[in-house]
Amino acid sequence: MDELRELYQQLILDHNQNPRNFREIENYDFHKKGYNPLCGDQLEIFINIKDDIISELSFTGMGCAISKASASIMTETLTGKSLSEANLLFKQFREMAMNGKITDGLPLKLSVLSGIYKYPSRVKCALLAWHTMHQSFDTQNIVDAKTE
Amino acid sequence: MDELRELYQQLILDHNQNPRNFREIENYDFHKKGYNPLCGDQLEIFINIKDDIISELSFTGMGCAISKASASIMTETLTGKSLSEANLLFKQFREMAMNGKITDGLPLKLSVLSGIYKYPSRVKCALLAWHTMHQSFDTQNIVDAKTE
Amino acid sequence: MQLNPNVIKEDFPLFKKHTSLAFLDNASTTQKPQCVIDKVNEYYNEYNSNVHRGIYQIGEKATYEYESVRGKLLQLVSANDNYSAIYTSGTTESLNLLAHSLSKLVLKVGDEILITEMEHHSNIVPWQIACEKYGCTLKYIPITEKGEWDISQIDSLITQKTKIVSMIHQSNVFGTINPVKKITELAKAVGAKVILDSAQSIPHGNVNIVDLNCDFLVFSGHKMLGPTGVGILIGKTEILNMMPPFMGGGEMIYTVSMESSTWNEVPWKFEAGTPNIAQVIGLGAAIDYLNNIGMDNIHAYEKKILAIAEKKLSQVPGLKIFGNPQKKGTVISFELDGIHPHDLAQILDEHNVAVRAGHHCAQPIMNKLNVPATIRASFYIYNSEKDINQLVNGLNSALKFFSIQ
Amino acid sequence: MQLNPNVIKEDFPLFKKHTSLAFLDNASTTQKPQCVIDKVNEYYNEYNSNVHRGIYQIGEKATYEYESVRGKLLQLVSANDNYSAIYTSGTTESLNLLAHSLSKLVLKVGDEILITEMEHHSNIVPWQIACEKYGCTLKYIPITEKGEWDISQIDSLITQKTKIVSMIHQSNVFGTINPVKKITELAKAVGAKVILDSAQSIPHGNVNIVDLNCDFLVFSGHKMLGPTGVGILIGKTEILNMMPPFMGGGEMIYTVSMESSTWNEVPWKFEAGTPNIAQVIGLGAAIDYLNNIGMDNIHAYEKKILAIAEKKLSQVPGLKIFGNPQKKGTVISFELDGIHPHDLAQILDEHNVAVRAGHHCAQPIMNKLNVPATIRASFYIYNSEKDINQLVNGLNSALKFFSIQ
Ligand SMILES: Cc1ncc(COP(=O)(O)O)c(C=O)c1O
Ligand SMILES: Cc1ncc(COP(=O)(O)O)c(C=O)c1O
Ligand code: FES
Ligand code: FES
C-alpha cells in the first residue's frame, strides 16, 4: 500500500474531493476540451489573459482522482503566471510525469505527482489538463493527451 | 530408402520413363485439361467412346513421376472399360490413394500406388489424371484435383 | 461432474508465478494452460516449418497438425458439412473480412445493415466503413436499462432492405446472453445474412451453429485459453464460395499471371500468406482442454460462481451493477459511488485483483449508461470464491481509502 | 568475428530433435532459437494479459514489453524519427494494408502502379485488386535470364502517372539483391510512394531505410527466427497519418459513436483488435539474438556458404542453376535434368534434406523460365558445409535412383 499512498497522497485526495477553480469562466479568452481516449474522460479548460499574464484559469468535467487533482493544482499554480512561464512549467511537469525527473524550480506542489511515471497507464491522467491548457492557445478544437 | 522404394516402384519408374498412350488423339470425343495448383503441373486427357465403352484414352503434359505413371497406368487400365466401370474404378482408386484402402476387384496394376496416402502432398499427383478423366464427361472447362 | 477451480488452476503456470493474483479480466483475455503452451513449443521444437508446400517430413507434420484444428473447431460449434472454418488473426479480423467480402457480395446502395447498441467496437466500426463505401444505412437494435435488447420495434428494423445482421451473442459489458434465435429467424425471413459475434459465448458454453441457424460465427483464440494472434471465422461454405477474397497473396491463389489471378478453394481462399501456424496448433490444444473439462460443466460452474459474485458484490456499500439481464454469463460491470473506475482499478491492483476499468470497446453502451467507463469483473474456470472475497475486500478497502466509509 | 554455424545450431531445439536434418528451406521459414521460444513462454507464464487497457501490473508489463519491440524494429532498419513501426500478421498483411490504405490515399483512375516480374504473389495480387478497384494499370519491370531486373526501359515504366512503386529487395527465387536505390530515386522524382518488400533481405544483412530512401518497408517475423503470426510495416509517419485505416475495431479508434468513429494515432490506428502480443514480444527476442551475432557477421558468413554451395552444386551432373545475378543472397533455385522437382524433393527428404519444390509463390518467374516449378535450397546461420554435402549426396543418389547416372 505504500506505493499507492505515495500516488494518492493526502493532497491529491483533497484536490480530488475539493477541486479548486472548478467552474466555467464567463467571457473567457481561451477555451478547450480535452479527451482521454483510454478512459473516455473529458475536461474543459477556460482561460483569461491580461497583459500576457494568466489572470484566471478554471476547469470542468469528469475524471479520475489523478486527473482532477492534477487539473486543480495546475489552475492554482498557473494563475498569475505569464504565458512563457506557463509554457516552461508545462514542459517541466511533462518531463516529471513521464520520466520522474524533477527540474529545479518546479513548484513543490506539483511534485506530489512525481511518482506517476511508475504507472504508465495513468500518465495521461496527470497530463490531460496540462495538455489541454497548453494547446488551447493553438486552435479551438478538441485535443487530448494522445501524443504522450 | 525402403519406403521410398515402395513409393517409386520399378513399375512407376518404368511408366514415368516410357509413358503409355502419351499422345494427343485426333477427333476425340472428350478432352479436358487438369491442373495441380500445388506444383503448377498440367496434363490433358483425350477420350474416345464407342457404344459406351472407352475405346481410346490418352494424355499429354508435364508432371512428376507419380502423376505421369498414374496417368499412364490409368490409360492402360481403362481402355476397353465401360463408363460405369471407369466410374467405379475412379472411386476405388481415389479411396486407395487417400486412405490406403484396397477394394476387392481393384486391378493389381493400380495397387502400385497403394502407399501414396502416406505422402499427403503427393496424393494429388496420383489423382490428377483420374480427376481430369472423371470430370471430362461433365464440362469442357479446366479442372483440378483440388477437391481432395 | 463438478468442476474444481483449484484443481484447474494447477494447470496454469501464471498462477504459480502469481500465487495470490485474482485474475478477473477474463473477458479481455484468458490465461493459458500448460498444455497449450506445450503444444506451441512442440511445433517450434519438433516440426517448425511452413505449411502446404514442403515435401519433407516436418513440413507434412506441420500441415497435418495445422489442418486438423479445422475439424476440432467445426465440432466445437456442432457445425455440419455445410460449414467451413477459416483461420484469422482474431474476432476483429474475422469481422473485417466479412465487412469487406460479404459486403461486396450482397450490398448495394440503399441497403441496410442491422447491428445492436450492445456491440463491441469490432462489430461496429467495420460496418460503419462498409456503409459509407456502399451507400448503406447502419441500424441499431436499442438496449434497455436492464442491458437487454429492446426488440419491441424489431419489425421496423428488419426490412426487405436488410442484407446483413451482425450481433453479439454474449455481451462483454453486461454479460447478457442474447436471444439471437428470434432475430435470426426474422433476418432469414427477409433473406439477410446473419453473423454471430461469439467472442464471449464460445469460451463459456455450448454454441450450436446449426441450431442457432446463423451463416457466420466469429471468435478469438486468446479468450478461450488459446494463444494470442489467432481467431476464427466459421461460415456457410456456399456463401464463402461466392464471396471475393479479403487479402491477396501466397496460399490464397490458384493461379497468378501478370494479367490476373484466380482464387484457391475455401477455406484457403481467405488465408493469404504464411499463416499463424503455431497459434492455430496451440488453439487445437485449448479446444481439447476445454472439451476434456466439458462445456456443460463449465457452464454449470459459471452459473454458480456468478450467483456468489453477485450476492457478495451487492453487499458492498454504494456498489451499483450495470444491467440486470435475465440470462447472463460471468461478466459483471459496476461502479462504486464516488470512486472513478480507474482509481478503483488501481487500488484493486494493489490488492492483487486484476479487473478492467474502461469503456470495454463499447462506447455506445457507455453513452447510454451516461458514464465514461465502468469497472468490469469477469470470471473463468480457474476463479473461485476466494477471488471474489479478494475483490470485495479490495472494494471495501478502496471505500476506506477514499474516506467514503 | 567469424560465425560458427555449429555453435549457433546448439541454440535451436529443433536440431536437437532432428540431429541429422539439413534444413535448407529457410527462405520459406526459419527455425527458432531457444531464446525466442523462452520469451514467448515468459509472456504466457508470467504476464499474460491484454495490452493498453489493463490497470494492473501484469497488464502494464505486457504493454511495456509489447510496445518496446517497436524501438527494436526501427533500430534494426536504422529508421529515424520520421518513421513508425506497425505490427501486422505478416508481410502479406503489411502489403494488403498498403494496397488498401495507401491506394485509397494516392490513386485515381488512370494512375499506374509499378512492380516487377520478380515479385512474390503477396506483392502482385493485392496490387491487381487495387488496380481493378481504382481503374489503374499495373506495370512490371521485366527480368532477364540472369534473374536481374531489366531496367533498360525504365523511363517508359516510371512516368508522371506512377503513384506507387512496390518492389522486392531480395528475390526468394534467384536470391538476387536488387538495385533498389536506383528505382527509388526515379520513383521519388515523379512523386511516387516507394515500398520495399524486404521479407528476404531483413534476415540476412543490414537494411537501412533512410539510406534506401523508401517510404515503406515490410517483412515477416517467422523468416528471421521469430514466431509465426507476426509481421511488420515500417513507414513514414507523415504518410501513415494521412492514410485511412485498414481494419476497424478495438484499439484503432479514438471515439466511437453510433453515427461515426474517429481514429487513434499512428501506429495504433492500423492495429485493430487484440494484437498478436506473444508473437510481437517473441520477435523482440529474435532481433536481440540477431544483433548479438551481428548482421555484418551474418552477411559475411552467408557469402562464404553461398560460394561453397554454388561450387559443389555445379559439380552435380545435369544440374542447372536458375539465374546468375551479380549480387546474390543465400538462395539457389535449380533443376536436375530429367527429374521432376517434386520427385527430387521427395528423394532428398529420404536423405534428411529439406528443400522446397514448387513455384515459390512466384508464378510470373516460372512462366518466364518456362518451368512449372524449381527446387530451391536456401541457407541460414545454422547451415554448414555438412548440410551442403548432404544435399549433394542426396542429388547424386537421386540421379542413381532414376537411373540417370
Ligand atoms: C519476397 C517475399 N515477399 C513476401 C512473402 C510473404 O511473406 P508471408 O508469407 O510471411 O506473409 C515472402 C515469403 O514467402 C517472400 O519471400
Ligand atoms: C464481444 C466481442 N467482440 C469482439 C471482440 C474483439 O476480439 P479481438 O480483440 O480478439 O479481435 C471482443 C473482445 O474484446 C469481444 O468481447
Ligand atoms: S482515468 Fe480518465 S483521466 Fe484518469
Ligand atoms: S508434383 Fe505436380 S503432379 Fe506431382
Side-chain angles (χ1 to χ4, degrees):
Chain A
M1 291 294 283
D2 288 355
E3 289 248 316
L4 198 67
R5 286 269 168 227
E6 198 194 313
L7 182 65
Y8 291 97
Q9 295 175 46
Q10 208 49 51
L11 190 68
I12 302 271
L13 296 178
D14 174 37
H15 275 270
N16 176 42
Q17 248 150 19
N18 311 297
R20 323 299 195 264
N21 303 305
F22 189 72
R23 62 165 197 281
E24 217 175 299
I25 300 177
E26 280 173 51
N27 303 322
Y28 50 79
D29 293 330
F30 294 98
H31 162 240
K32 191 125 195 163
K33 282 188 185 169
Y35 174 64
N36 184 345
L38 264 182
C39 55
D41 287 326
Q42 293 190 5
L43 56 73
E44 290 183 62
I45 299 283
F46 304 87
I47 311 178
N48 267 333
I49 310 270
K50 257 198 205 102
D51 302 329
D52 216 42
I53 300 282
I54 297 174
S55 59
E56 258 187 305
L57 181 56
S58 74
F59 79 106
T60 62
M62 294 213 279
C64 63
I66 306 292
S67 71
K68 261 164 82 185
S70 177
S72 172
I73 298 170
M74 178 188 81
T75 59
E76 281 198 332
T77 311
L78 296 188
T79 308
K81 293 278 189 304
S82 74
L83 289 186
S84 66
E85 282 172 317
N87 196 31
L88 183 67
L89 284 171
F90 164 68
K91 283 188 183 141
Q92 293 179 342
F93 181 79
R94 187 177 58 181
E95 181 66 22
M96 182 191 74
M98 293 177 70
N99 307 317
K101 232 177 79 187
I102 303 187
T103 320
D104 282 354
L106 195 75
L108 192 65
K109 208 185 271 176
L110 293 180
S111 69
V112 293
L113 282 160
S114 64
I116 198 81
Y117 75 98
K118 289 182 215 146
Y119 302 85
S121 59
R122 307 306 299 280
V123 170
K124 281 188 193 191
C125 302
L127 284 172
L128 182 57
W130 285 83
H131 266 284
T132 312
M133 178 279 301
H134 184 64
Q135 294 191 24
S136 67
F137 304 123
D138 296 341
T139 63
Q140 293 292 335
N141 302 322
I142 293 184
V143 296
D144 60 69
K146 283 197 292 176
T147 38
E148 302 313 308
Chain B
M1 292 294 282
D2 287 355
E3 288 246 317
L4 198 68
R5 285 269 168 226
E6 198 193 310
L7 181 67
Y8 291 96
Q9 293 176 46
Q10 208 48 50
L11 190 68
I12 302 270
L13 295 178
D14 175 39
H15 275 271
N16 175 42
Q17 249 150 19
N18 311 297
R20 324 297 196 265
N21 302 305
F22 189 72
R23 61 167 197 281
E24 215 176 300
I25 299 177
E26 282 174 47
N27 302 321
Y28 51 77
D29 292 331
F30 292 98
H31 162 240
K32 190 125 195 161
K33 279 189 186 169
Y35 174 64
N36 183 346
L38 263 183
C39 55
D41 287 326
Q42 293 191 5
L43 57 72
E44 291 183 59
I45 298 283
F46 304 87
I47 311 178
N48 266 332
I49 309 271
K50 261 202 202 96
D51 302 329
D52 216 43
I53 299 285
I54 296 174
S55 60
E56 257 186 309
L57 180 57
S58 76
F59 79 106
T60 62
M62 293 215 279
C64 63
I66 306 293
S67 71
K68 261 163 84 182
S70 177
S72 173
I73 296 170
M74 179 189 80
T75 60
E76 280 198 335
T77 312
L78 295 188
T79 307
K81 293 280 188 304
S82 74
L83 289 187
S84 66
E85 282 171 318
N87 197 29
L88 183 67
L89 283 171
F90 164 68
K91 283 186 182 141
Q92 293 178 342
F93 181 78
R94 187 176 58 180
E95 180 68 21
M96 181 189 76
M98 293 176 69
N99 308 318
K101 233 178 76 186
I102 302 187
T103 321
D104 283 353
L106 194 76
L108 191 64
K109 207 185 274 175
L110 294 181
S111 69
V112 293
L113 282 160
S114 63
I116 198 82
Y117 76 100
K118 290 180 216 149
Y119 301 86
S121 60
R122 307 308 299 279
V123 170
K124 280 187 192 190
C125 302
L127 283 172
L128 182 58
W130 285 84
H131 265 284
T132 312
M133 177 281 299
H134 184 64
Q135 294 191 24
S136 68
F137 304 124
D138 295 341
T139 63
Q140 293 292 332
N141 302 324
I142 294 184
V143 294
D144 61 69
K146 284 197 293 178
T147 39
E148 301 314 308
Chain C
M1 211 201 61
Q2 192 137 333
L3 176 163
N4 184 337
N6 297 322
V7 171
I8 286 178
K9 211 165 185 172
E10 294 284 313
D11 298 332
F12 290 75
L14 185 123
F15 295 117
K16 298 217 163 78
K17 168 99 184 156
H18 302 282
T19 45
S20 62
L21 174 66
F23 184 76
L24 300 178
D25 194 16
N26 294 288
S28 177
T29 199
T30 62
Q31 297 306 327
K32 320 303 175 205
Q34 191 63 50
C35 61
V36 167
I37 298 169
D38 287 347
K39 189 77 190 180
V40 171
N41 290 345
E42 180 191 292
Y43 164 74
Y44 287 132
N45 291 337
E46 300 187 10
Y47 48 92
N48 175 81
S49 56
N50 218 321
V51 289
H52 297 147
R53 295 187 182 274
I55 305 188
Y56 46 80
Q57 280 161 46
I58 60 173
E60 301 265 22
K61 169 78 171 159
T63 305
Y64 172 79
E65 292 280 345
Y66 173 79
E67 285 298 330
S68 66
V69 176
R70 290 190 211 276
K72 293 184 185 188
L73 285 161
L74 291 167
Q75 219 171 354
L76 181 71
V77 301
S78 305
N80 58 25
D81 283 355
N82 299 331
Y83 291 91
S84 298
I86 294 165
Y87 303 132
T88 68
S89 64
T91 304
T92 301
E93 188 180 299
S94 300
L95 288 166
N96 277 275
L97 190 164
L98 290 168
H100 178 272
S101 300
L102 180 64
S103 293
K104 210 160 174 178
L105 180 68
V106 303
L107 293 185
K108 50 182 192 340
V109 177
D111 283 342
E112 294 173 1
I113 297 172
L114 181 65
I115 63 174
T116 85
E117 275 182 28
M118 207 187 278
E119 301 309 319
H120 186 278
H121 291 165
S122 293
N123 200 22
I124 301 176
V125 182
W127 303 116
Q128 288 179 334
I129 296 173
C131 280
E132 199 179 304
K133 184 165 163 192
Y134 292 100
C136 298
T137 306
L138 188 58
K139 291 190 161 181
Y140 291 81
I141 296 177
I143 52 172
T144 65
E145 272 288 303
K146 288 184 85 172
E148 293 179 331
W149 289 341
D150 172 3
I151 52 174
S152 59
Q153 310 293 315
I154 193 73
D155 288 343
S156 69
L157 290 171
I158 298 189
T159 72
Q160 293 296 331
K161 288 184 183 169
T162 311
K163 292 291 145 51
I164 295 171
V165 175
S166 189
M167 56 192 164
I168 190 165
H169 196 185
Q170 178 172 328
S171 167
N172 63 321
V173 174
F174 301 116
T176 323
I177 299 167
N178 289 305
V180 295
K181 259 181 103 165
K182 271 190 219 162
I183 308 296
T184 303
E185 261 171 44
L186 294 169
K188 292 280 163 126
V190 297
K193 303 283 178 276
V194 176
I195 301 164
L196 207 57
D197 174 356
S198 39
Q200 294 292 344
S201 54
I202 289 278
H204 301 288
N206 292 306
V207 174
N208 184 317
I209 196 172
V210 178
D211 177 52
L212 295 172
N213 193 22
C214 48
D215 300 304
F216 301 98
L217 207 141
V218 298
F219 52 100
S220 293
H222 70 94
K223 290 185 201 282
M224 52 186 288
L225 310 182
T228 60
V230 54
I232 300 301
L233 166 62
I234 290 177
K236 287 241 176 79
T237 313
E238 197 190 335
I239 309 173
L240 290 166
N241 280 336
M242 292 186 293
M243 281 161 51
F246 179 41
M247 294 199 243
E251 289 294 323
M252 57 69 73
I253 59 95
Y254 181 52
T255 59
V256 174
S257 76
M258 282 167 57
E259 294 72 37
S260 64
S261 302
T262 57
W263 315 132
N264 202 337
E265 289 199 316
V266 168
W268 304 284
K269 177 168 84 173
F270 294 103
E271 294 173 6
T274 301
N276 36 8
I277 308 169
Q279 294 73 50
V280 165
I281 291 172
L283 178 57
I287 297 172
D288 291 345
Y289 183 85
L290 287 172
N291 284 336
N292 226 13
I293 299 178
M295 296 313 288
D296 285 334
N297 295 326
I298 293 175
H299 196 68
Y301 177 70
E302 291 191 338
K303 259 190 141 136
K304 203 176 100 184
I305 199 87
L306 176 68
I308 298 172
E310 290 197 312
K311 184 162 158 241
K312 296 210 168 182
L313 283 176
S314 67
Q315 287 156 6
V316 176
L319 188 142
K320 179 184 155 199
I321 293 177
F322 292 105
N324 178 27
Q326 266 193 324
K327 287 189 72 184
K328 179 171 168 142
T330 47
V331 175
I332 306 178
S333 277
F334 61 91
E335 64 175 1
L336 202 50
D337 201 27
I339 307 182
H340 188 284
H342 283 64
D343 293 323
L344 191 49
Q346 195 86 60
I347 291 170
L348 290 174
D349 178 41
E350 214 68 29
H351 287 83
N352 254 311
V353 178
V355 295
R356 174 123 315 191
H359 53 54
H360 318 298
C361 296
Q363 285 186 357
I365 297 183
M366 299 299 120
N367 294 344
K368 195 88 172 194
L369 299 176
N370 201 21
V371 295
T374 76
I375 285 274
R376 181 184 71 187
S378 51
F379 302 85
Y380 207 29
I381 47 177
Y382 33 67
N383 293 125
S384 63
E385 197 167 341
K386 184 168 156 289
D387 296 327
I388 297 171
N389 293 337
Q390 202 167 326
L391 168 63
V392 169
N393 286 340
L395 293 171
N396 284 322
S397 138
L399 289 173
K400 276 208 209 86
F401 191 87
F402 281 95
S403 314
I404 289 167
Q405 284 288 307
Chain D
M1 211 201 62
Q2 191 138 334
L3 176 163
N4 183 336
N6 297 322
V7 172
I8 286 179
K9 210 165 186 172
E10 292 284 314
D11 297 331
F12 290 75
L14 186 122
F15 294 119
K16 298 217 163 80
K17 167 99 185 160
H18 302 281
T19 45
S20 62
L21 174 66
F23 184 76
L24 300 177
D25 194 15
N26 294 289
S28 177
T29 200
T30 62
Q31 297 306 326
K32 319 303 175 206
Q34 191 63 50
C35 61
V36 168
I37 298 169
D38 286 348
K39 189 77 190 176
V40 170
N41 290 344
E42 181 190 292
Y43 164 74
Y44 288 132
N45 291 337
E46 300 186 10
Y47 47 92
N48 175 81
S49 56
N50 218 321
V51 288
H52 296 147
R53 295 188 184 272
I55 304 190
Y56 45 82
Q57 281 160 45
I58 60 173
E60 300 265 22
K61 169 78 171 160
T63 304
Y64 173 79
E65 292 280 346
Y66 173 81
E67 285 297 331
S68 66
V69 176
R70 291 189 212 276
K72 293 185 186 188
L73 286 160
L74 291 167
Q75 218 171 357
L76 180 72
V77 301
S78 305
N80 58 25
D81 283 354
N82 300 329
Y83 291 92
S84 299
I86 293 165
Y87 303 133
T88 67
S89 65
T91 303
T92 301
E93 188 181 298
S94 299
L95 287 166
N96 277 274
L97 190 165
L98 290 168
H100 178 273
S101 300
L102 180 63
S103 294
K104 210 162 173 177
L105 179 68
V106 303
L107 292 185
K108 50 183 195 337
V109 177
D111 283 341
E112 294 174 2
I113 297 172
L114 180 64
I115 62 174
T116 86
E117 274 182 32
M118 207 188 275
E119 302 308 319
H120 187 278
H121 291 164
S122 293
N123 200 22
I124 302 176
V125 182
W127 303 115
Q128 289 180 334
I129 295 173
C131 280
E132 200 180 302
K133 184 166 163 191
Y134 292 99
C136 298
T137 306
L138 188 59
K139 291 190 161 181
Y140 291 80
I141 296 177
I143 52 173
T144 66
E145 271 288 302
K146 287 183 87 172
E148 293 178 330
W149 290 341
D150 173 3
I151 52 173
S152 59
Q153 311 293 312
I154 193 71
D155 287 343
S156 67
L157 290 171
I158 298 189
T159 71
Q160 293 296 332
K161 290 185 183 168
T162 310
K163 293 289 146 50
I164 296 171
V165 175
S166 189
M167 55 191 165
I168 190 165
H169 196 183
Q170 178 171 329
S171 167
N172 63 321
V173 174
F174 301 116
T176 323
I177 299 167
N178 289 305
V180 294
K181 258 181 104 164
K182 270 189 219 165
I183 308 297
T184 302
E185 262 170 45
L186 295 168
K188 293 280 164 126
V190 298
K193 303 284 179 273
V194 176
I195 301 164
L196 206 57
D197 175 355
S198 39
Q200 295 292 342
S201 55
I202 288 279
H204 301 288
N206 292 306
V207 174
N208 184 317
I209 195 171
V210 178
D211 176 53
L212 294 172
N213 193 21
C214 48
D215 300 303
F216 301 98
L217 207 142
V218 298
F219 51 99
S220 294
H222 69 95
K223 292 186 199 284
M224 52 186 288
L225 309 182
T228 61
V230 54
I232 300 300
L233 166 62
I234 290 176
K236 286 241 177 81
T237 312
E238 196 189 335
I239 309 174
L240 290 166
N241 280 336
M242 292 186 292
M243 281 162 50
F246 179 40
M247 294 200 243
E251 291 293 324
M252 57 70 73
I253 59 96
Y254 180 52
T255 59
V256 174
S257 76
M258 283 166 59
E259 294 71 37
S260 64
S261 302
T262 57
W263 316 132
N264 201 338
E265 289 200 315
V266 169
W268 305 284
K269 177 168 85 174
F270 294 104
E271 294 173 5
T274 301
N276 35 10
I277 309 168
Q279 294 73 52
V280 166
I281 292 172
L283 177 57
I287 297 171
D288 291 345
Y289 183 85
L290 287 172
N291 284 337
N292 226 14
I293 299 178
M295 296 312 290
D296 285 333
N297 295 326
I298 293 175
H299 195 69
Y301 176 70
E302 291 192 339
K303 259 189 142 139
K304 202 176 100 185
I305 200 88
L306 176 69
I308 299 173
E310 290 198 312
K311 183 162 158 238
K312 295 211 169 178
L313 283 176
S314 68
Q315 287 158 4
V316 176
L319 187 140
K320 180 185 152 197
I321 293 176
F322 293 106
N324 178 29
Q326 265 191 325
K327 288 189 72 183
K328 178 171 168 144
T330 48
V331 175
I332 305 177
S333 277
F334 60 91
E335 64 175 2
L336 201 51
D337 200 28
I339 307 182
H340 188 284
H342 282 65
D343 293 322
L344 191 50
Q346 195 86 60
I347 289 168
L348 290 175
D349 178 41
E350 212 70 27
H351 287 81
N352 254 311
V353 178
V355 295
R356 175 123 315 192
H359 53 53
H360 318 299
C361 296
Q363 285 186 357
I365 297 183
M366 299 299 122
N367 295 343
K368 195 87 171 197
L369 299 175
N370 201 22
V371 295
T374 77
I375 285 272
R376 181 185 70 188
S378 51
F379 303 85
Y380 207 30
I381 47 176
Y382 33 67
N383 292 125
S384 63
E385 196 166 342
K386 185 168 155 285
D387 295 328
I388 298 172
N389 293 337
Q390 202 168 325
L391 168 64
V392 169
N393 286 341
L395 293 171
N396 283 321
S397 140
L399 289 173
K400 276 207 208 87
F401 192 88
F402 281 95
S403 314
I404 291 167
Q405 283 287 305

